[in-house]
Amino acid sequence: MIPVSEPFLCGKELENITDCIKSGWISSAGKYIDQFEEQWATYCNRQYGIAVSNGTTALDVAVHCLGLKPGDEVIMPTFTIISCALAIVNNNGTPVLVDSDPKLWTMDVDHVAEKITSKTKAIMPVHIYGHPVDMDPLLDLAEDHNLAIIEDAAEAHGAEYQTQCHSSNTWRRCGSFGTFSCFSFYANKLITTGEGGMVLTDDEVLAKKARAYLNLYFQPPRRFYHESLGNNFRLTNIQAALGVAQIERMDDIITKKRWMAQEYSHQLEELSGLQLPIEEQWAKSVYWMYAFVLSEETGMDNTEFSLRLLEKGIETRPFFIGMHEQPVFQKMGLFKDEKYPIAERIAGQGLYLPSGLTITSEQIATVSNAVKEILSS
Ligand SMILES: Cc1ncc(COP(=O)(O)O)c(C=O)c1O
């Protein structure tokens, strides 16, 4: 079986973890936590890194820190993981959805302005499958309407965006924009700590609040005295030790991902019936996963196509299902009668291929040939 993704722990991971065990620093304090936070914040050109237990809790921490009041709205793409909407709903907010860009599958930034109301407090762009969202229009809207931006960069470690903001024309890493950026370090991410996440910000006050919230709102001067309700979203030193071992390999990790995408595109580009991933001129994608959308002319949806690949020993994953199509939110009375045609189409027709850091050119050829065979049968 060719797996959809496998972690690649080829550096100092074992050495660092052994150090944690020998020294006894196995809980949520220790030098690797400090190093991981500092090094990842520096990599993303941010002031403060706050390690958390996963990407879902990272988003929760970020939205919590905005201090939303009931009815406050946060604009987000419908096409994403539920963690984004969950963070908003669990912190008093109301998610307001936007359809996807048909070529990039990220939030269609041309439809954000029309969703802004007097209740809007933030925009949550999500860099889908490693390709950055077009951030400049969102940064302009945020400035004009005094909105926070929470950037979900879970799938876009090290991806870059060329901003023209304030005529700067500079390349910036995903995770360097807005009030907060959030990362996941789940096992299939470019950097993985097994489970894990991080929130980045340049705001000292918000960083302090985030730290307090993820640690049960313990507060000085008296431990076990609480003025607010927090959570235990702490990352362990052992997990951070894995992350530290990988940050130093970021250039190699990105090179491997971009090579993988180039190989797949080279093999698949002649095929009609597939919409392959693209890279805008203003973007450097890290191709978290090599994803494509089947056209209707293939007569297959992603379920059937995945099953056919599975029969040939190839694992895949289907695309997200839009938030407006989730029964749990419909039962809550959210997104009633809302339609997002692009997200609906790609949810049914999109899937991603084996894309992990251990993938070989032989495996890419095997997968590509299997795709070709299925399309021509
Ligand atoms: C875009 C995005 N945001 C958030 C998350 C949540 O991260 P985690 O699985 O670490 O909770 C994921 C997970 O894959 C994701 O893809």
Side-chain angles (χ1 to χ4, degrees):
M1 181 68 68
I2 304 181
V4 80
S5 176
E6 258 180 341
F8 186 42
L9 309 173
C10 64
K12 289 193 193 137
E13 286 87 348
L14 192 58
E15 185 184 323
N16 289 359
I17 285 185
T18 308
D19 181 29
C20 295
I21 292 169
K22 284 190 173 160
S23 65
W25 289 96
I26 58 168
S27 193
S28 54
K31 70 175 183 192
Y32 292 110
I33 289 277
D34 298 340
Q35 283 175 20
F36 190 37
E37 290 181 338
E38 200 187 305
Q39 289 174 11
W40 192 245
T42 304
Y43 181 79
C44 297
N45 202 19
R46 285 287 208 178
Q47 292 288 316
Y48 305 98
I50 301 124
V52 291
S53 49
N54 55 61
T56 303
T57 53
L59 288 161
D60 185 84
V61 168
V63 178
H64 168 84
C65 289
L66 297 183
L68 300 180
K69 306 268 177 307
D72 283 349
E73 295 172 356
V74 179
I75 299 174
M76 59 169 280
T78 188
F79 184 76
T80 182
I81 195 159
I82 196 165
S83 313
C84 304
L86 196 64
I88 298 166
V89 168
N90 284 347
N91 287 288
N92 289 324
T94 304
V96 172
L97 303 178
V98 174
D99 204 356
S100 307
D101 178 302
K103 286 186 304 180
L104 296 176
W105 313 319
T106 50
M107 170 186 227
D108 189 337
V109 294
D110 292 339
H111 289 291
V112 174
E114 67 205 48
K115 299 281 177 147
I116 295 176
T117 71
S118 58
K119 294 180 189 157
T120 310
K121 291 291 178 296
I123 307 172
M124 185 187 282
V126 185
H127 307 299
I128 298 283
Y129 303 142
H131 193 289
V133 176
D134 187 4
M135 292 299 294
D136 281 350
L138 302 185
L139 296 171
D140 286 344
L141 285 174
E143 198 170 307
D144 293 350
H145 297 269
N146 193 25
L147 307 175
I149 286 193
I150 295 179
E151 201 193 342
D152 183 346
E155 302 179 357
H157 304 178
E160 291 178 54
Y161 173 76
Q162 190 176 32
T163 176
Q164 312 286 339
C165 245
H166 307 296
S167 318
S168 62
N169 197 16
T170 46
W171 286 93
R172 282 176 60 177
R173 288 212 167 105
C174 290
S176 68
F177 296 94
T179 315
F180 282 111
S181 48
C182 298
F183 291 88
S184 161
F185 301 116
Y186 182 65
N188 60 12
K189 300 302 188 298
L190 274 75
I191 294 256
T192 179
T193 58
E195 295 282 352
M198 202 174 302
V199 180
L200 302 181
T201 183
D202 295 319
D203 186 312
E204 190 182 354
V205 175
L206 290 177
K208 270 195 184 135
K209 185 170 176 178
R211 273 194 198 292
Y213 173 62
L214 77 89
N215 191 21
L216 298 170
Y217 266 117
F218 284 128
Q219 56 197 74
R222 175 67 170 90
R223 209 172 168 89
F224 304 119
Y225 179 79
H226 305 269
E227 285 178 24
S228 311
L229 290 179
N231 269 297
N232 175 355
F233 290 156
R234 300 185 292 250
L235 189 79
T236 68
N237 199 45
I238 304 179
Q239 291 170 304
L242 290 174
V244 168
Q246 289 162 49
I247 294 178
E248 59 188 42
R249 298 205 308 272
M250 262 322 267
D251 288 353
D252 292 346
I253 291 172
I254 293 171
T255 303
K256 175 81 193 241
K257 285 286 192 184
R258 290 181 62 84
W259 166 83
M260 176 267 303
Q262 218 181 0
E263 292 278 300
Y264 269 131
S265 290
H266 180 65
Q267 305 244 10
L268 301 176
E269 67 197 351
E270 298 301 321
L271 300 176
S272 64
L274 296 185
Q275 183 199 339
L276 300 181
I278 60 152
E279 186 180 54
E280 291 283 4
Q281 274 183 349
W282 40 259
K284 287 189 192 143
S285 174
V286 289
Y287 299 96
W288 170 57
M289 292 290 164
Y290 191 87
F292 61 72
V293 174
L294 294 158
S295 69
E296 321 285 321
E297 87 202 33
T298 62
M300 278 179 274
D301 64 9
N302 51 12
T303 309
E304 183 179 346
F305 204 83
S306 297
L307 278 174
R308 302 273 297 270
L309 281 172
L310 196 62
E311 283 164 10
K312 293 175 183 290
I314 295 161
E315 211 185 27
T316 58
R317 292 281 183 279
F319 271 23
F320 296 122
I321 298 174
M323 292 304 108
H324 67 290
E325 297 196 285
Q326 303 292 343
V328 64
F329 292 134
Q330 284 166 4
K331 278 185 241 155
M332 291 166 69
L334 286 168
F335 319 133
K336 198 167 178 299
D337 300 327
E338 292 181 25
K339 291 265 165 243
Y340 299 99
I342 308 293
E344 285 164 29
R345 179 173 60 80
I346 64 177
Q349 299 296 117
L351 66 149
Y352 53 82
L353 297 176
S355 309
L357 289 170
T358 58
I359 199 154
T360 63
S361 49
E362 291 74 31
Q363 288 176 320
I364 293 174
T366 305
V367 174
S368 304
N369 288 336
V371 170
K372 285 179 204 167
E373 261 174 53
I374 296 168
L375 284 176
S376 61
S377 63

